[in-house]
Amino acid sequence: MIDAAFIKQCADPTLSVEIVQQFVQEIGVTDPHQVTVKSGNRTFAVPTPKTAEEAMDLTKQYLGQAVVRVGLTQYPAGFGIQSADELSMNLFEPCENLRMGTALFSKVYRIVSKWYGNPRPEAFEDAMLSYASGYFEGQNVFKAEGPGDVTVWKPAPAEQLAAAQGRITGEDVPAQSSDPVSEVMAVGQDSGQKGSIEGQGASEQPLSNQDPNRAPMRINLTGIKVHNVEPGSPAK
């Protein structure tokens, strides 16, 4: 799991450590140079970059022709730029990639949570799908205005998870012995409490639209989880 100290140093401060940990786990990427290229439901077999320079060359090769996601957060490479010449090597620097990816996800998560009306785990799940596709309820969430302060659901910290497990099973479970991200949902299903609130219907784009940028997909960004693209991303 990604280190909490690294998250506090690099991630967007509007997200809790627990949210960022689950976000990164859902993305499923550990190589900061990873470049994923997709078109519709197809993922292209591309060379594995060994350096940031190779990753940049690969990104430039496909940008504007397909969906290109990069780095630890599988950030949409074409977002916010007009041409490939504007691409930054920061995309492949772990701290900067985490900063950019979590800032974008924070906005998406707040947009989705506002739509739901109250904090709930389903909002996080839909926010992950929206981060993958770039769309929620037909709206381009990357280009949308941020909704301001919105209360969002967050996973329970490791200590709370361990205590809950102990109450359910009657056993003492050291917090350090388990993965709070992967187990918090299981605890929630048994106890009826999936998490907590931070601050104060699922929707996917139909495949019939045949828009490769809108193709909904569940997220395993080691294989499927590398999605989106900024619609109208710049040509190579």
Side-chain angles (χ1 to χ4, degrees):
M1 178 181 295
I2 189 169
D3 184 69
F6 179 69
I7 291 174
K8 291 177 180 178
Q9 176 186 351
C10 303
D12 188 276
T14 63
L15 296 177
S16 69
V17 169
E18 293 80 18
I19 290 175
V20 175
Q21 286 177 328
Q22 185 155 343
F23 168 67
V24 172
Q25 178 170 295
E26 292 274 341
I27 297 297
V29 169
T30 58
D31 181 2
H33 302 141
Q34 180 163 322
V35 176
T36 305
V37 180
K38 297 180 71 71
S39 179
N41 291 324
R42 295 178 55 203
T43 300
F44 292 95
V46 296
T48 301
K50 297 180 180 178
T51 66
E53 289 74 18
E54 290 180 0
M56 177 61 78
D57 290 342
L58 188 61
T59 299
K60 288 182 176 180
Q61 179 181 345
Y62 287 97
L63 192 65
Q65 304 177 51
V67 174
V68 183
R69 292 288 186 118
V70 300
L72 295 177
T73 65
Q74 289 297 277
Y75 188 81
F79 176 62
I81 63 174
Q82 299 299 317
S83 80
D85 292 336
E86 298 178 53
L87 287 169
S88 169
M89 293 298 291
N90 284 342
L91 290 169
F92 308 103
E93 199 283 313
C95 187
E96 282 299 306
N97 186 279
L98 184 65
R99 180 188 63 78
M100 293 186 292
T102 53
L104 184 58
F105 178 72
S106 176
K107 182 179 77 170
V108 172
Y109 192 15
R110 285 181 284 115
I111 289 172
V112 175
S113 294
K114 183 177 181 179
W115 183 89
Y116 269 96
N118 61 336
R120 60 180 68 185
E122 293 84 355
F124 179 87
E125 296 166 6
D126 247 15
M128 290 300 302
L129 289 171
S130 298
Y131 182 82
S133 68
Y135 285 85
F136 179 72
E137 286 292 300
Q139 177 187 29
N140 183 325
V141 287
F142 293 166
K143 291 183 176 180
E145 291 291 330
D149 292 334
V150 175
T151 303
V152 299
W153 174 88
K154 70 173 180 177
E159 294 80 6
Q160 293 180 17
L161 174 61
Q165 287 176 321
R167 288 194 298 270
I168 293 167
T169 63
E171 300 175 355
D172 292 331
V173 182
Q176 297 85 350
S177 69
S178 59
D179 177 354
V181 173
S182 63
E183 295 183 17
V184 68
M185 298 306 293
V187 170
Q189 291 167 359
D190 290 337
S191 66
Q193 296 181 350
K194 287 192 175 181
S196 57
I197 294 175
E198 175 169 284
Q200 259 271 65
S203 173
E204 298 180 8
Q205 290 297 308
L207 291 176
S208 59
N209 288 344
Q210 298 300 315
D211 181 345
N213 291 331
R214 298 187 178 207
M217 58 195 79
R218 292 289 165 184
I219 321 196
N220 172 357
L221 281 184
T222 48
I224 109 172
K225 275 188 174 166
V226 193
H227 345 354
N228 164 73
V229 69
E230 159 79 337
S233 56
K236 191 181 91 167

